Structure formats: structure tokens, C-alpha cells
Amino acid sequence: MDKTNNNFIESILEKAKLKNLKMKPRAYFIARAFGYVLSVVGIVVLSVFLSSFTFFGLKMQGEIWLLAGVLLAGLLLLVFAWILAEKSPFFYKRPFAVGLAVFILVVFLASWAVLATPFHQKALEWSQKNNAPVISPLYKCGCGCGCGQKNSSCGGSSKCGCVK
Amino acid sequence: MNDYSLLSDEKIVGLAQGGDFDGFGFLAEKYQEKIKRYIRRFVQSEEINDISQNVFLKAFENIRGFNVKLKFSSWIYRIAHNEIVNFLKKKKALPLFDFDVFLPHLDFGRDEMENAAERKILRTHLEQCFEKLPMKYREVVWLYYFDEFSYREISDVLKLPPATIGTRLKRARQALKTVCAGLNKVYG
């Protein structure tokens, strides 16, 4: 090792001491990787929920401005999930457009699968029975079952399946 | 004591992850000149030393997060790349987004088959004309021709698809023909 190299490495070690730098433990990286996967999956699930809700709301003839907003939020979340996922080799080894297409396809298929279940219908009934914050107004308004009404009245739509 | 020169980088990282500081010192010594040279190509200021020190400090701090199944050289260059990007962003000398990463390319990311002599001539011309190349081509050109990384390794450094690397190299060579007169003798 020549003198210049020595100086360089010594200055690194000196700086490390000065900044009190330590090797981060392996558990930190495992937790970070776990958190990363969890965030991507969580955001995709939220995106699936919002997009399937939009289609459910359209079927129920809900407030169009609200549904447009919900769909936009779902799309933004989807793009955010895709940006996060681009850090992993599976995605960055492929063209970005392919990664985004995969995400859109996954969300579309998952939304279609959710719509085939009574999930949103059950959630609508639940939100009419309970005045839960965010969820109840979202379902009532988004499904045309009485926007802004605190009680469980059915509003104009006969498809609401409101609880009497 | 280990004779590190007999071990692969990844094996040495494995030892460093277990607390072998000499192993880390060996790797820092091995890569410091390459990393400095790489940084010097993009940062023309007195901060080169600070940036390269930061690269190794970050490597030291995060070495336990390195997957020993991957290549250490790609990993350390990735840290250097991030440091350069951060520096250039602070100086507002970097575009925010390049659209060529978005679209699929027909080049399927295979390494170009140039012979050694051709590469040597090209490298000589590149030395002279490097600064004239558009910024987004410089990094792939440097990693491919001077540090002799494969498309796959460059892809891991820049986190871009190998096909985009191939396309950028192809475009960089075309750009070189216009900015570097001597190159026409090599590629006609």
C-alpha cells in the first residue's frame, strides 16, 4: 500500500470515527426490505380497492366527480407503487413501460376479481349501518345512496340495498 | 490473517460483514482509484476527494446490506453513481428525467462484439472526445469502455434495463462520430 492510498484509507477511517459511523446491523436491512415489500403491496392493495370502488360506484350511478377523484387517487397510488418497485432488479431490468403495464394489468385483474365478490355491496351495507368516518360518506356518496346524509336513508338509487 | 488477494471481492465482503475491518480496507484500497477516476469524469471540482470518501463511508455503513451473491463492483459503483447524481442535482447540472428509459428498445441488451484492437482505438478517441458527449451517454460509455463492465453490470449500477444501456451506447457511438473526427476511421 503506498503512502497516498494509506492516507486516503486513514482519512476514511478517521471520518468514520469522527462521525461515529458503525456498520448498520443486518436486522436493519432485513426490516427495511420487509418494509419496502409491505409498502409496495399495501399501496397496490389500496389502489385495487379504489379502482374497484370506482367501477362499483359507476354501476350504482354514484356521484361522478367523487368517482373521478377516487380513480385519480388510485392511479396516482399505482404510479407511486411502480416507482417504488423500480428499485428491485425484477423491474429495473425491464423497460419502465413494461413494469408500469404489469402494474396496471395486476390492478385491473384484481379489481375485476374484487367486483365479482360481494365485497363492496357488503361494505356499502356496513357503511349505512355505521357512520364510520371517511368510509361511510365515501360509500354513500360514491354509490348514489344519499350524499352528505348522516342517517341511513337510501337516497335516490334503488340499487343501494339500504338497510331500513 | 487472510491473504485477500486470493479471495474474490464478494468473499472479502462476506468477511467484512462479519467485522473484518482489514478486509474492508483491502477493498477500499482496491477500488479507490477506479472510483476517483469515475467521479472525476463527472465532477470537475475540488470536491472529488470528499465525494469519493463519502462513497466508501456509505459502503462501510451499509456493507451488511450487500447481497454477496451479487457483484461488489456494481454495488460500489452504484453508491458512487448516487453520490455523483446528488452532487450534480445540487449544482442543477442534471436533467430530472430521460424519456429513453421509458420506452422499450429493440436492442435486447446483448454486449457488443468489438474486438480488443477496435476497443483500444475507440478508447483512445474517447479519451479526447469524452467531454463533448451528451451527459446521459458519458456514464455508460465510461463504464463499458474504461471500466469494462458488461451491460448487465451497468444495468445494476444505473438501475436501467440492459436494452437501454445498449441503445445509449449505440447512440453514444453515433454522437462520437460527429464530435470526434478520428472515429470515422474506425467505424467508417
Side-chain angles (χ1 to χ4, degrees):
Chain A
M1 206 188 294
D2 65 34
K3 205 179 169 188
T4 331
N5 287 352
N6 256 334
N7 286 344
F8 183 78
I9 293 159
E10 271 168 21
S11 65
I12 290 172
L13 294 174
E14 207 172 289
K15 259 197 176 176
K17 258 186 206 166
L18 210 71
K19 289 183 177 176
N20 203 16
L21 277 187
K22 283 181 186 136
M23 284 182 189
K24 286 176 187 162
R26 200 178 284 272
Y28 165 84
F29 295 101
I30 294 170
R32 204 173 66 167
F34 188 69
Y36 166 73
V37 172
L38 214 65
S39 338
V40 173
V41 171
I43 296 168
V44 169
V45 167
L46 195 56
S47 183
V48 168
F49 170 76
L50 293 177
S51 57
S52 62
F53 174 79
T54 309
F55 294 118
F56 180 73
L58 283 174
K59 207 169 72 180
M60 302 288 284
Q61 293 160 345
E63 291 289 339
I64 202 80
W65 56 268
L66 179 75
L67 295 175
V70 169
L71 185 64
L72 185 70
L75 286 175
L76 287 176
L77 281 173
L78 180 70
V79 171
F80 184 56
W82 164 67
I83 290 170
L84 276 181
E86 280 295 333
K87 285 184 175 184
S88 76
F90 178 82
F91 284 99
Y92 73 68
K93 293 269 183 202
R94 288 159 179 80
F96 285 7
V98 173
L100 187 58
V102 166
F103 265 78
I104 291 172
L105 195 70
V106 164
V107 169
F108 181 78
L109 290 177
S111 301
W112 180 73
V114 170
L115 280 172
T117 69
F119 174 80
H120 284 300
Q121 188 58 49
K122 288 246 158 74
L124 172 64
E125 286 167 20
W126 183 88
S127 64
Q128 285 170 322
K129 270 188 212 163
N130 308 280
N131 269 320
V134 187
I135 290 291
S136 290
L138 180 77
Y139 267 94
K140 282 183 196 171
C141 209
C143 302
C145 300
C147 222
Q149 292 179 23
K150 281 185 181 170
N151 59 25
S152 56
S153 90
C154 284
S157 175
S158 58
K159 294 180 184 175
C160 284
C162 296
V163 178
K164 304 284 180 198
Chain B
M1 198 175 152
N2 284 304
D3 185 356
Y4 298 114
S5 55
L6 298 174
L7 301 173
S8 70
D9 291 351
E10 292 70 32
K11 282 248 163 71
I12 301 170
V13 175
L15 295 172
Q17 287 175 334
D20 185 343
F21 293 99
D22 289 339
F24 181 79
F26 178 85
L27 288 173
E29 189 197 336
K30 184 176 171 184
Y31 281 94
Q32 60 149 317
E33 272 313 314
K34 283 182 183 175
I35 293 292
K36 265 189 194 174
R37 215 171 49 217
Y38 174 55
I39 294 168
R40 202 173 292 132
R41 281 295 166 175
F42 305 95
V43 178
Q44 276 88 34
S45 81
E46 286 164 6
E47 289 165 81
I48 292 167
N49 250 340
D50 285 343
I51 297 172
S52 46
Q53 274 185 359
N54 278 346
V55 170
F56 288 101
L57 285 172
K58 286 212 170 132
F60 175 79
E61 217 183 348
N62 295 294
I63 197 118
R64 286 187 177 134
F66 171 71
N67 179 357
V68 289
K69 286 174 191 157
L70 303 175
K71 284 204 86 176
F72 176 74
S73 54
S74 300
W75 186 71
I76 193 97
Y77 270 79
R78 174 71 195 166
I79 299 174
H81 163 84
N82 285 341
E83 287 295 310
I84 294 169
V85 168
N86 288 341
F87 177 83
L88 294 177
K89 269 187 184 162
K90 267 186 218 162
K91 301 272 173 199
K92 292 179 178 160
L94 207 67
L96 281 175
F97 189 75
D98 284 317
F99 282 96
D100 69 341
V101 299
F102 193 77
L103 300 166
H105 296 288
L106 288 174
D107 187 318
F108 292 106
R110 290 188 197 97
D111 292 20
E112 291 285 326
M113 291 295 179
E114 284 159 332
N115 62 44
E118 229 174 36
R119 265 191 175 215
K120 203 176 170 189
I121 299 167
L122 195 60
R123 253 204 305 263
T124 317
H125 289 290
L126 273 169
E127 284 276 16
Q128 297 153 8
C129 308
F130 190 78
E131 309 298 329
K132 293 177 192 164
L133 272 177
M135 197 66 169
K136 72 173 175 183
Y137 299 143
R138 285 189 208 170
E139 214 168 2
V140 278
V141 164
W142 184 264
L143 292 169
Y144 188 72
Y145 285 106
F146 294 92
D147 285 322
E148 302 192 330
F149 277 36
S150 67
Y151 281 15
R152 204 151 270 278
E153 286 164 343
I154 301 173
S155 157
D156 286 328
V157 176
L158 305 180
K159 296 214 168 174
L160 291 174
T164 306
I165 306 296
T167 306
R168 281 194 183 179
L169 269 175
K170 213 173 266 176
R171 288 184 187 155
R173 278 192 293 266
Q174 279 163 1
L176 270 172
K177 279 183 196 171
T178 50
V179 296
C180 206
L183 260 185
N184 288 325
K185 289 172 197 161
V186 188
Y187 282 105

